[in-house]
Amino acid sequence: MERLGQNIRSMNERYIRQTMIPEIGEAGQEKLKNAKVLIVGIGGLGSPISLYLTAAGVGQIGLIDDDIVSKSNLQSKVECACRRLSALNSSTRFETYPNRFTPDNANRLVSAYDIIVDGCDNAATRYLIDDVCSRFKKPYVYGSISEFRGQVSVFNYRGGSRYSDLYPRPEVIPPARPGGVIGTIPGIIGCMEAAEVIKIITGYGEVLSGKLFLLDTQTLQHEIIEI
C-alpha cells in the first residue's frame, strides 16, 4: 500500500503542471491515461509526436515503421524509439511494429487504437490511413512538411472531412520522392499534431476538423483555411 501511494504521488507530480490547467484537470489526465494512439512513421514527424504524447501521459502508444536506424545499426527505429520513450515515462505502454503500414495490416492496427497520427512521408500511405480510418470511424491527425513549410489538419473527426476531400485521389499515385526540409519544421508540425491529439482526447479547444493550418517559416506567415 505504501508503494502504491508513492506511485500515485509520483504520477500526480509528473503531470501537475498539466492538471493545473482547468481545461484538462484530473479528469482530462485520466482520459489521456486510458487513450490508445497509433503513430504511423517514426521519423522527423513521428519523433516529436511520440515524445510529447509520451510526456503528456497517453496510456498506450503504437509505433509502426519498417525503417532501420542506419547501415551501421540494424535495429529498427521503433525498437530504438521504444527504449528512449520508456525511459521518459515508464507508465506509458508501447506496442512496436517494425513493418510498413500496408493493406494487409491496416485494418487490424487501426481497429485497435482510438486515434491514428500521420508521421509518414508519402501520399500512398496517407490515402490508406484515410480509407481505413473512415471505415472504422477513427480520427486521423494529419501533418505534412516540405522545405520551410508545413500543414496540419484532423480528418474523419465525428464524421468530418477526409484527406481525400482535401487532396482527391489521383488515378495513379506518384512514387514518394524525398525532398529537402529545414530541421525545425518537423519539430513544429509534430508538436502541433501532438496538440491536436491531446485536444481530441481531453475535449478542450477547437479541433482542426474541416480546416487546414498552413505555416511558412520563412516569413512566419500562417493561415487556417476551410476544407
Side-chain angles (χ1 to χ4, degrees):
M1 286 296 294
E2 182 179 352
R3 175 174 290 184
L4 177 60
Q6 290 174 344
N7 288 341
I8 292 173
R9 286 194 297 274
S10 176
M11 291 299 293
N12 289 341
E13 291 172 2
R14 178 188 293 274
Y15 306 119
I16 190 168
R17 297 296 294 274
Q18 196 160 273
T19 56
M20 287 172 63
I21 303 171
E23 289 83 356
I24 296 180
E26 296 288 346
Q29 195 62 51
E30 187 67 18
K31 290 177 181 177
L32 288 166
K33 177 183 175 182
N34 294 327
K36 297 185 291 184
V37 178
L38 177 67
I39 304 171
V40 182
I42 312 299
L45 283 173
S47 294
I49 295 167
S50 60
L51 173 66
Y52 283 98
L53 292 183
T54 300
V58 171
Q60 180 174 333
I61 297 177
L63 307 169
I64 180 166
D65 195 311
D66 69 340
D67 202 1
I68 60 174
V69 175
S70 68
K71 291 182 179 179
S72 60
N73 183 350
L74 297 180
Q75 291 181 314
S76 68
K77 277 186 177 178
V78 293
E79 291 170 343
C80 292
C82 181
R83 281 200 304 274
R84 293 181 180 179
L85 295 169
S86 296
L88 173 66
N89 189 347
S90 59
S91 298
T92 296
R93 176 187 170 193
F94 297 96
E95 297 290 344
T96 57
Y97 310 96
N99 315 106
R100 185 175 293 274
F101 187 80
T102 69
D104 293 331
N105 59 29
N107 288 338
R108 173 175 55 85
L109 290 169
V110 169
S111 64
Y113 290 87
D114 304 317
I115 301 170
I116 314 303
V117 194
D118 181 355
C120 66
D121 60 1
N122 67 89
T125 301
R126 292 188 174 115
Y127 284 117
L128 178 58
I129 296 172
D130 185 51
D131 288 342
V132 182
C133 282
S134 177
R135 183 176 307 135
F136 287 97
K137 297 181 169 44
K138 301 293 179 75
Y140 164 21
V141 178
Y142 157 79
S144 177
I145 53 176
S146 176
E147 297 182 345
F148 301 96
R149 296 176 294 278
Q151 47 186 257
V152 181
S153 188
V154 176
F155 300 118
N156 202 47
Y157 179 67
R158 297 178 177 175
S161 60
R162 294 178 50 179
Y163 176 74
S164 54
D165 294 326
L166 176 63
Y167 297 112
R169 187 193 303 265
E171 291 186 12
V172 178
I173 301 174
R177 292 187 177 88
V181 62
I182 192 75
T184 54
I185 283 290
I188 295 168
I189 298 302
C191 285
M192 294 189 67
E193 289 186 78
E196 290 301 305
V197 173
I198 295 170
K199 286 197 289 186
I200 294 170
I201 294 170
T202 61
Y204 81 88
E206 296 183 13
V207 174
L208 274 172
S209 176
K211 301 173 182 179
L212 179 68
F213 174 87
L214 300 167
L215 172 68
D216 186 338
T217 61
Q218 292 185 96
T219 59
L220 283 186
Q221 288 185 322
H222 63 277
E223 61 179 325
I224 295 178
I225 62 174
E226 300 287 333
I227 298 176

